[in-house]
Amino acid sequence: MAVLLQVDFPYSGPWGDEMAHAMQGLAQSIAQEAGLLWKIWTESRDTGEAGGIYLFADRASAERYLEMHRARLSGFGVPQVNAKLFEVNAPLSAIDRAPLA
């Protein structure tokens, strides 16, 4: 069963196109993670937060990634990482055009 991982953390920038340029290598690395189907990068300059919404093929892959990602962010000096894992209800999500693949 697919698992959605929601992550956010305090972030002071860069934002927008500057963030896209600065994080390109990280995005390419994340794309290689085992079990990752896709990621949507999130940012809010107004609240000073960034993060992502990830879809993994299974819970084990999502949990492995989250453990590694928390350690990586800690190494970047991020003091707190908020995360939630959700199982995806594929039949209902398909009705609403969710990109589940």
Side-chain angles (χ1 to χ4, degrees), residues 89-98 100:
N89 184 304
L92 292 175
S93 298
I95 292 169
D96 295 320
R97 298 180 295 281
L100 295 180

Side-chain angles (χ1 to χ4, degrees), residues 5 9 24 27 32-33 36-37 39 44 50 52 59 61 63 68 79 97-98 100:
L5 170 61
F9 49 87
Q24 187 173 8
Q32 303 305 311
E33 291 293 330
L36 178 71
L37 301 175
K39 175 184 179 180
S44 174
R59 180 171 279 274
S61 296
E63 289 174 346
M68 180 278 301
R97 298 180 295 281
L100 295 180

Side-chain angles (χ1 to χ4, degrees), residues 4-5 10 13 15 18 20-21 25-26 30 46 55 68 78 80-81 84-85 95 97 101:
L4 190 85
L5 170 61
W15 308 100
E18 290 179 29
H21 179 71
L26 179 58
I30 291 169
D46 292 342
L55 186 66
M68 180 278 301
V78 175
Q80 179 179 349
V81 177
K84 293 182 180 180
L85 292 164
I95 292 169
R97 298 180 295 281

Side-chain angles (χ1 to χ4, degrees), residues 21-101:
H21 179 71
M23 302 295 177
Q24 187 173 8
L26 179 58
Q28 290 170 342
S29 172
I30 291 169
Q32 303 305 311
E33 291 293 330
L36 178 71
L37 301 175
W38 51 255
K39 175 184 179 180
I40 296 173
W41 288 68
T42 58
E43 59 182 276
S44 174
R45 187 183 309 232
D46 292 342
T47 62
E49 296 173 287
I53 308 293
Y54 307 73
L55 186 66
F56 284 89
D58 55 70
R59 180 171 279 274
S61 296
E63 289 174 346
R64 273 192 306 275
Y65 177 80
L66 178 56
E67 181 179 342
M68 180 278 301
H69 194 45
R70 276 191 164 133
R72 175 172 48 205
L73 289 170
S74 177
F76 292 161
V78 175
Q80 179 179 349
V81 177
N82 304 309
K84 293 182 180 180
L85 292 164
F86 299 93
E87 284 78 22
V88 174
N89 184 304
L92 292 175
S93 298
I95 292 169
D96 295 320
R97 298 180 295 281
L100 295 180

